[in-house]
Amino acid sequence: MKSMTKRLLAALLAVAALFALAGCSKSDKADAAPKDYTKILHDARPDEDNEYYMIFSPGEDGKFTAQYGYSAEYEADQLSDEVANMMMPLLGLEDDMYDDFAASVSGMMVRVYGVAIVKPAEGKTQDVVDALDAYVQSQQKSMEHYLEDQYQIASAARVATVPTGEVVMVCCEDSDTVFENIKKALAA
């Protein structure tokens, strides 16, 4: 009887340990805290870019918000309208294509600049990649016979889906370093 109790107790402890280990190894992305894409972009790029280019992202009630760069010069509604009517069309991103994002682009025709992290909506990853690729191609075409140094920046641009599932676009000076900084921060 004593031997049977020990065996039963050992079996129960083994099952409890198995459930504990299974619970520890479970990786559920839905339980993960949302990533601060604005902070990731800010930290991935040079201070000069943070000074000159705002980083915009979705806000509440379908509006947009922004930080850094020239964003402080605008009232909230005016800023949201500029992002909705100028920046989003430049990137080709439509509301149903993303769950979240942060982006920074230059609307000036003498400077190639665009960085973005987009968390695609379910089933929309390729649509996001296509939109950001079209932005890069547009920048390349605009600068090809206009400003050689800006054309070189556009030609070195990258759009890729990173292992964490976000689509990252980097179209700026030192694009490889900025891309790797973003990729590393997203994986952390």
Side-chain angles (χ1 to χ4, degrees), residues 104-117:
S104 184
V105 297
S106 173
M108 298 184 332
M109 297 307 294
V110 294
R111 177 86 188 230
V112 169
Y113 187 87
V115 292
I117 302 170

Side-chain angles (χ1 to χ4, degrees), residues 20-131:
L21 289 174
C24 289
S25 68
K26 185 177 180 184
S27 173
D28 190 359
K29 288 183 182 178
D31 292 340
K35 295 179 178 146
D36 185 347
Y37 296 142
T38 297
K39 180 171 177 19
I40 291 171
L41 282 185
H42 173 273
D43 294 349
R45 64 189 194 169
D47 290 339
E48 182 180 342
D49 291 352
N50 290 322
E51 183 180 335
Y52 293 118
Y53 302 111
M54 70 176 175
I55 300 173
F56 55 93
S57 59
E60 296 180 13
D61 300 327
K63 295 189 178 234
F64 296 98
T65 186
Q67 297 178 42
Y68 312 109
Y70 57 90
S71 63
E73 299 172 16
Y74 288 92
E75 292 181 20
D77 285 341
Q78 185 184 22
L79 178 70
S80 183
D81 288 346
E82 179 175 323
V83 171
N85 297 323
M86 187 173 144
M87 303 304 184
M88 295 303 285
L90 273 175
L91 291 174
L93 292 176
E94 298 174 14
D95 292 344
D96 69 335
M97 294 168 66
Y98 58 84
D99 288 336
D100 196 10
F101 76 88
S104 184
V105 297
S106 173
M108 298 184 332
M109 297 307 294
V110 294
R111 177 86 188 230
V112 169
Y113 187 87
V115 292
I117 302 170
V118 181
K119 179 180 180 184
E122 189 172 333
K124 297 290 186 170
T125 300
Q126 192 58 52
D127 292 339
V128 171
V129 169
D130 292 346

